[in-house]
Amino acid sequence: MTKQDNRSVYETGQSPCFEIATMNQASRLASPVVELRQYTLKPGQRETLIGLFDRELVETQEATGMTVIGQFRDLDRPDMFVWLRGFEDMETRKDALTAFYGGPVWAAHRDAANATMIDSDDVLLLKPAWQGAGFDLSGLCRPTATEAENKSRESRLSAIVEIEIHHLRPGTQADFAGRFQMQAVPQLAANGARLLGAFISEHAENTFPRLPVRTADNVFIAVTGVDDYAARHAPAAWRTLLEKARTDLTGPTEVLRLSPTSRSLIGQ
């Protein structure tokens, strides 16, 4: 499916589920390059940004060749908006971001979006931690705007996505990821969680310097999903692993407890 084909799907009003289900590019579905973006917003502005984002900035970004993987409310920080987007490779990232941020949609909505924000530069550039560790988006279905409006707040909160960011010494990412894959992943299902993806820092040159990324960070990130809202309080399955690997860690683990918006692709 070409980029022009993608645009025609959106313009004809067909369900986003159709577009996701029929994309024939496996790399697009697995997102070999991922941005984790955390935005600090002005007090009380999160719902304003989410409304704008879900209505105007999902399909329009994807029409340029990127994938909006998920967008979330941070459950512990009421003025934080967290989202993920993916790319086939760094060159595609450059082309897609150039097209979107230089195009008419962002020009029409950037003032309204920027008016909600204090800081949008907290961005980690990532790649899958091992083969097959990226997000598998095949078969997922994003609700249409109409469907999203009909979803209750309770149903949105029934699924939780948790992101753990482990800060590591340079050169330890591969070993940490290998131990996690062997020791922690088998425990997740037993504890009622699903590993949605695992990533390490992508240290390639930022191909779109207009948007900064945290290039000095060296991280391992685990993204898990839990269906039951109450189950988010369960202890993480890999605490023993972290204790054994503490010499590899350079700082405290960041834990993001996230509620997907009604149009998030992952976490539904």
Side-chain angles (χ1 to χ4, degrees):
M1 182 178 290
T2 65
K3 293 179 183 178
Q4 181 60 47
D5 290 333
N6 285 341
R7 285 192 294 270
S8 66
V9 167
Y10 303 134
E11 291 167 357
T12 58
Q14 292 175 318
S15 169
C17 302
F18 174 85
E19 192 273 337
I20 292 296
T22 57
M23 281 193 298
N24 57 14
Q25 299 180 26
S27 59
R28 176 93 176 259
L29 293 171
S31 295
V33 176
V34 170
E35 292 177 351
L36 171 59
R37 311 186 65 87
Q38 300 185 62
Y39 290 179
T40 303
L41 307 180
K42 296 175 182 177
Q45 289 299 300
R46 186 163 68 181
E47 294 308 310
T48 299
L49 179 60
I50 287 174
L52 174 64
F53 192 101
D54 279 1
R55 184 178 64 252
E56 304 289 352
L57 304 179
V58 176
E59 285 83 0
T60 51
Q61 289 190 78
E62 293 187 333
T64 68
M66 66 184 89
T67 302
V68 178
I69 298 167
Q71 55 272 27
F72 311 94
R73 297 169 176 87
D74 189 306
L75 292 171
D76 300 309
R77 299 175 295 175
D79 297 319
M80 293 297 294
F81 173 67
V82 179
W83 64 293
L84 295 151
R85 65 180 168 192
F87 309 85
E88 294 177 39
D89 51 43
M90 293 299 288
E91 189 63 25
T92 298
R93 176 178 179 269
K94 175 184 177 181
D95 293 343
L97 295 179
T98 299
F100 180 74
Y101 289 104
V105 174
W106 183 240
H109 299 292
R110 64 188 174 195
D111 289 346
N114 289 335
T116 67
M117 301 177 193
I118 294 173
D119 175 64
S120 61
D121 292 345
D122 186 349
V123 181
L124 290 169
L125 191 61
L126 308 166
K127 61 184 177 182
W130 58 81
Q131 186 174 2
F135 296 113
D136 181 3
L137 306 180
S138 57
L140 295 185
C141 178
R142 177 186 293 120
T144 65
T146 299
E147 291 168 340
E149 290 176 359
N150 293 331
K151 293 186 73 173
S152 68
R153 186 172 188 273
E154 288 73 21
S155 66
R156 290 202 305 268
L157 289 176
S158 64
I160 297 298
V161 171
E162 184 172 275
I163 299 178
E164 290 204 358
I165 306 172
H166 306 283
H167 297 270
L168 303 172
R169 290 187 297 106
T172 64
Q173 287 175 299
D175 286 344
F176 189 93
R179 292 196 298 270
F180 179 90
Q181 183 182 15
M182 294 296 295
Q183 300 176 33
V185 171
Q187 300 178 48
L188 289 172
N191 286 332
R194 306 180 308 280
L195 180 66
L196 302 177
F199 301 87
I200 57 176
S201 295
E202 170 59 82
H203 291 299
E205 180 181 357
N206 183 2
T207 52
F208 194 74
R210 175 178 164 186
L211 297 182
V213 298
R214 288 161 51 181
T215 56
D217 287 67
N218 194 62
V219 300
F220 172 86
I221 289 179
V223 185
T224 58
V226 179
D227 290 328
D228 186 349
Y229 180 69
R232 76 188 191 277
H233 296 294
W238 51 92
R239 294 303 178 193
T240 301
L241 170 63
L242 289 181
E243 181 64 23
K244 293 179 180 178
R246 60 184 175 181
T247 58
D248 293 339
L249 301 172
T250 61
T253 296
E254 298 179 59
V255 180
L256 312 182
R257 298 187 308 119
L258 308 172
S259 173
T261 77
S262 56
R263 298 208 68 218
S264 176
L265 190 55
I266 64 170
Q268 297 297 326

